[in-house]
Amino acid sequence: MVKILVEIQASHVGIGKSTFAKEFNKPWVDDCIQLVESDPSFFYGDVNEYGEGNDQFKHLLRCYLVLENFAASLDNVAANLGTDWTIIASRSPIISCIQFASQDVNWKPMMNYYKRRLKQLGVDAVLVLDYGNSIQNNEEAVQMGFKRMWVRGRKFEWEAFNTYEHYKSFFQRAEQIKSDMVEAMKKDEFFHYKEVAFDGFMEKDLANAKEYIAMTKLKIK
């Protein structure tokens, strides 16, 4: 009996992670960044109340809000699933909160907190399927993400990524900034990190992901 969290990771907004997560026909948790950023006044209130001018602290607060919001969502989904489950997350919250911070934050204590929080919820292992580098190295895929973002019409995304050039450069940085954390994940037995080739989140991607999930289950039983 194992509880596995599978994180579909790509920093790119609009690339189709949530749609892909549903294709597994398993319980799933929606995009943790979107949940927080779509209603910042609810999650943050007036951020200046936490220290006017202290931008680093505000970014740190934002990261912890993303992690805790995700943990609460995961707990809600897992509540009635018993002792053997696989839950799909449409983003890795720990990687993403670092990628979306506009200032460098110390990711090590956050990663330790995230690990402890998941273990508290009974998670036995986290499988991270990371498509980000493959997407960023494919111009057509990056363009697809940008176009999908504009078509779905979320105001907070339009304001954050108002041109294709800004979209592309932001996620280029996002894919670079995760490198130290990824190396730490590879050395941690709780995390099972896999860099995956992106094929448009089509049938090939789904079949490969299911194979990685099955392999991870065998490793931790």
Side-chain angles (χ1 to χ4, degrees), residues 186-199:
K186 290 177 180 178
K187 298 174 183 177
D188 192 308
E189 293 183 355
F190 183 68
F191 294 98
H192 300 257
Y193 178 88
K194 181 72 176 177
E195 187 169 318
V196 191
F198 178 70
D199 192 43

Side-chain angles (χ1 to χ4, degrees), residues 9-20:
Q9 173 56 22
S11 59
H12 305 77
V13 171
I15 202 67
K17 295 182 295 297
S18 295
T19 302
F20 183 55

Side-chain angles (χ1 to χ4, degrees), residues 90-110:
S90 59
R91 187 182 281 279
S92 171
I94 186 59
I95 294 178
S96 293
C97 71
I98 296 298
Q99 290 177 315
F100 278 78
S102 58
Q103 287 195 2
D104 290 342
V105 293
N106 187 352
W107 57 265
K108 292 180 181 179
M110 279 190 287

Side-chain angles (χ1 to χ4, degrees), residues 2 14 32 89 102 136:
V2 295
C32 50
S102 58
Q136 189 62 29

Side-chain angles (χ1 to χ4, degrees), residues 4 68 77 82 89 96 112 121 141 160 186 201 206:
I4 297 179
E68 191 53 37
V77 171
S96 293
N112 288 333
L121 296 176
K186 290 177 180 178
F201 287 144
L206 185 61

Side-chain angles (χ1 to χ4, degrees), residues 22 183 214:
K22 296 175 186 178
E183 290 306 309

Side-chain angles (χ1 to χ4, degrees), residues 165-176:
E165 290 72 20
H166 178 55
Y167 178 94
K168 183 179 179 180
S169 64
F170 179 92
F171 292 114
Q172 179 67 39
R173 174 187 177 274
E175 290 307 311
Q176 293 169 346

